[in-house]
Each structure stands twice: as C-alpha cells, then as structure tokens.
Amino acid sequence: MPPFRTAQEQLAAMFGCHDPDLLTERVSALDFDGRRVPIACATLLLEGGTDALVKPGSQSAFREGNTNPRSCLKSWPDGEQTIGDGTVLLGDSQAGSSQPKL
C-alpha cells in the first residue's frame, strides 16, 4: 500500500473500500506473477528508480516466465512515477520496425 494519503484515497474509491486491512488485501491481489501467467510476447518494461509509488525491482515480475529474447527492462535511476523527464524512446524506421532503441 502506498504511504501517501492521496494514493490511498484513490485506491479506496476505486475498490469501494475504506478498511485499511481489506484495502491492502485487495490491492495485493493485483500483484502480477509471471511464473503463473507468463507473457510470451516481447515486453518493454520501464521503471523509475525514485518512484514513490512503485518500488524499484517491482517490474521484474513481468520478466519472470517471459522467454522472449527481445524483452527488456529499462530503468532510469533518477526517474519518478512518470517518465516525463525528457527521455525519449526512438523507433527504428528501417524495415518498418517499431522496436525501441535502448
């Protein structure tokens, strides 16, 4: 559960629940387990190292069970919740590919 009052209020409204223990249980049910439900397609994961809502390393669950060699995790050590810090991912225009260059 995020330690921020506004995030907790938004989650409470989303789940229609204000009991802290029940809300934590419902939010925890959203945790992804890539070993149980693997992702087969190429997956680009983005992660900010200073994200106050999602701990660094949390995106690794999306790599577990994913055997696609094109899958990758891109981290910004100083990145926050949103990646609006001037970082741009460029697509490869050759051969019509839109795979990001990282």
Side-chain angles (χ1 to χ4, degrees):
M1 178 66 63
F4 304 103
R5 179 188 53 80
T6 53
Q8 292 172 3
E9 289 174 354
Q10 290 170 354
L11 289 168
M14 183 173 79
F15 285 102
C17 169
H18 294 281
D19 177 83
D21 294 330
L22 185 56
L23 185 57
T24 298
E25 180 182 322
R26 290 182 178 176
V27 169
S28 295
L30 296 176
D31 287 346
F32 181 77
D33 184 351
R35 294 165 297 176
R36 189 172 56 84
V37 184
I39 300 173
C41 64
T43 307
L44 172 62
L45 304 167
L46 306 174
E47 178 175 84
T50 62
D51 188 332
L53 294 175
V54 181
K55 294 182 230 170
S58 297
Q59 304 307 321
S60 64
F62 293 95
R63 292 288 311 266
E64 293 176 14
N66 184 327
T67 58
N68 192 302
R70 295 185 338 167
S71 294
C72 65
L73 171 65
K74 176 67 177 167
S75 295
W76 285 266
D78 61 345
E80 296 178 359
Q81 173 67 24
T82 58
I83 303 179
D85 57 0
T87 305
V88 178
L89 297 176
L90 300 175
D92 181 1
S93 61
Q94 297 177 358
S97 172
S98 61
Q99 181 179 355
K101 290 183 178 185
L102 302 174

